[in-house]
Amino acid sequence: MPELRRIYWEIAHKVSLEFSNFSYEFDVNDLNRRIDKILLEIKEKYGIANMPSINISKDVDLVNMTDDAVRFIISDENSAINDNKFVNSSYIISCKIAKVMKKGTNKNYSIELVTNDVKKIYSLIIDAMLDTHMFYLYGWNNEYGNLEKKKEFSKLKVSFCKKHKLTSVLDEYIDYDNYCSFATFCRNDDYSLDIEKFVQLWKKFSSELLSNLNHKDKESIVEDICKNYKHGAISKRKLKNMMKDLPMGKYSFIRISRKVPNFHAKKMESLFNGSIKIGNMIIIDTIKKYNYKRYFDAKYIDITDFII
């Protein structure tokens, strides 16, 4: 998954750069603005559906370097700086910089990390970003889109890690009760990330989760797509033929609904088996859908996700 590798390196480079010269004299508002800018740039550049919210705060009195001197709050989509009851967030990660590293309590958070090592914090930030991206890349927001379902999904990931006895570089410092990032379980002792292991972990988890979901038969899926499609008629016979040999999985049905302008033609031809005529149809694994997002946003194509 070369795109994921590029996203990871860009996130890792930009985030670690922000913290490479970390000082307790930093300006909170300025650092928050810079982090927000990084998230927005990466989100727009790669067409990422959502990125976590990151809020950084610090006490006015840093003389005694108390445990609460500097705090990083990482949450999904919505700011959780004052959300201790998970009213607006499915997960909330708290990272505190303290003189001595110790195990967090998870009292008001999904994960609490208390550390004197800034590297561990920005690694956890990057892990949350990557995991959020994979959630949307696999299209799990279709089945687990609302807040309560996202909380359920987080618990399913924790159960998966415990079932397979996975270990992480942060095991002695944090507990995984209601949330975990698979990326944290794919970091080496030097905190470098094993991207291939991360991809395979998501693949294995998604396969197991799929096997436990209720599945429609292919005939019903074809009927639903044809019934709900708004831009022209779809050949049921052709669609059935396209689906007949598909194994269990998450898929996206894509159809060209408008004339494609010349400046998009070459790129789109490679994505549509050489033909970009109106009405041309393909079925892809949902995880590859990001390649088509810009054309969907421009309304040249329609996309329908389904599970077999």
Side-chain angles (χ1 to χ4, degrees):
M1 199 179 292
E3 188 81 355
L4 180 64
R5 189 177 293 277
R6 287 196 294 272
I7 292 170
Y8 164 64
W9 284 117
E10 186 155 349
I11 291 173
H13 173 70
K14 290 185 175 180
V15 172
S16 60
L17 200 63
E18 286 295 337
F19 295 111
S20 59
N21 296 312
F22 180 81
S23 164
Y24 289 99
E25 303 304 315
F26 73 91
D27 180 283
V28 171
N29 293 330
D30 182 53
L31 185 54
N32 276 312
R33 278 194 297 270
R34 295 204 307 270
I35 293 295
D36 285 346
K37 184 180 178 183
I38 289 172
L39 298 183
L40 183 60
E41 286 176 351
I42 293 173
K43 181 179 177 180
E44 291 180 348
K45 180 175 180 179
Y46 293 101
I48 296 174
N50 265 303
M51 292 289 261
S53 168
I54 300 172
N55 283 279
I56 305 161
S57 61
K58 68 177 180 179
D59 284 353
V60 175
D61 180 14
L62 295 176
V63 176
N64 297 316
M65 275 298 296
T66 60
D67 284 353
D68 292 313
V70 180
R71 183 190 294 272
F72 297 74
I73 298 292
I74 310 156
S75 57
D76 62 326
E77 303 173 41
N78 300 301
S79 173
I81 196 72
N82 297 310
D83 183 9
N84 289 338
K85 298 185 182 299
F86 296 84
V87 174
N88 300 307
S89 306
S90 63
Y91 71 81
I92 306 173
I93 302 169
S94 169
C95 300
K96 296 192 294 186
I97 296 180
K99 287 201 297 184
V100 178
M101 191 162 186
K102 62 182 182 181
K103 195 154 191 171
T105 64
N106 286 12
K107 184 178 179 181
N108 296 314
Y109 308 101
S110 307
I111 290 176
E112 183 178 45
L113 174 65
V114 181
T115 180
N116 53 7
D117 184 353
V118 177
K119 183 178 180 181
K120 288 182 174 64
I121 292 178
Y122 72 66
S123 293
L124 206 51
I125 290 172
I126 293 165
D127 292 350
M129 289 180 182
L130 291 176
D131 235 51
T132 299
H133 177 50
M134 291 297 277
F135 172 76
Y136 287 98
L137 200 60
Y138 266 97
W140 284 119
N141 54 303
N142 292 326
E143 291 76 33
Y144 296 89
N146 64 39
L147 184 62
E148 292 308 313
K149 283 289 186 179
K150 286 181 180 178
K151 291 177 183 178
E152 179 187 343
F153 189 83
S154 293
K155 290 178 182 178
L156 288 170
K157 286 165 59 189
V158 172
S159 297
F160 173 85
C161 291
K162 290 180 177 179
K163 173 186 172 183
H164 292 283
K165 296 180 169 55
L166 302 179
T167 59
S168 85
V169 290
L170 292 175
D171 278 354
E172 63 179 300
Y173 307 114
I174 59 179
D175 286 321
Y176 303 103
D177 299 321
N178 300 310
Y179 169 84
C180 67
S181 166
F182 285 154
T184 307
F185 291 86
C186 300
R187 287 196 176 272
N188 302 310
D189 291 340
D190 63 354
Y191 282 83
S192 60
L193 181 65
D194 187 334
I195 286 282
E196 297 308 319
K197 182 179 178 182
F198 176 62
V199 170
Q200 291 306 313
L201 203 55
W202 262 99
K203 186 176 182 180
K204 184 175 181 180
F205 167 73
S206 293
S207 295
E208 288 191 14
L209 191 53
L210 269 172
S211 65
N212 294 322
L213 294 178
N214 292 324
H215 297 255
K216 282 187 175 182
D217 60 84
K218 293 178 181 178
E219 185 78 27
S220 297
I221 295 170
V222 169
E223 289 293 331
D224 286 347
I225 291 175
C226 293
K227 179 181 177 181
N228 297 318
Y229 192 73
K230 306 295 184 184
H231 300 123
I234 295 174
S235 167
K236 289 184 181 180
R237 182 181 59 81
K238 185 175 181 180
L239 189 52
K240 286 178 184 178
N241 193 52
M242 292 170 70
M243 281 192 196
K244 69 178 182 180
D245 295 324
L246 291 178
M248 182 184 75
K250 289 176 71 70
Y251 297 96
S252 295
F253 165 75
I254 304 178
R255 183 180 187 271
I256 297 177
S257 55
R258 283 176 54 198
K259 180 176 173 58
V260 177
N262 291 335
F263 57 86
H264 280 313
K266 188 172 183 180
K267 178 64 176 176
M268 284 188 68
E269 281 175 354
S270 65
L271 296 172
F272 282 88
N273 303 319
S275 174
I276 53 172
K277 292 180 179 179
I278 294 175
N280 189 29
M281 306 183 298
I282 59 171
I283 294 176
I284 61 167
D285 291 325
T286 294
I287 197 169
K288 298 178 181 178
K289 190 171 67 172
Y290 67 90
N291 288 313
Y292 299 80
K293 186 179 183 301
R294 71 179 66 177
Y295 309 116
F296 175 77
D297 291 342
K299 302 187 184 325
Y300 298 124
I301 62 174
D302 295 312
I303 301 177
T304 303
D305 297 329
F306 63 92
I307 294 177
I308 290 178

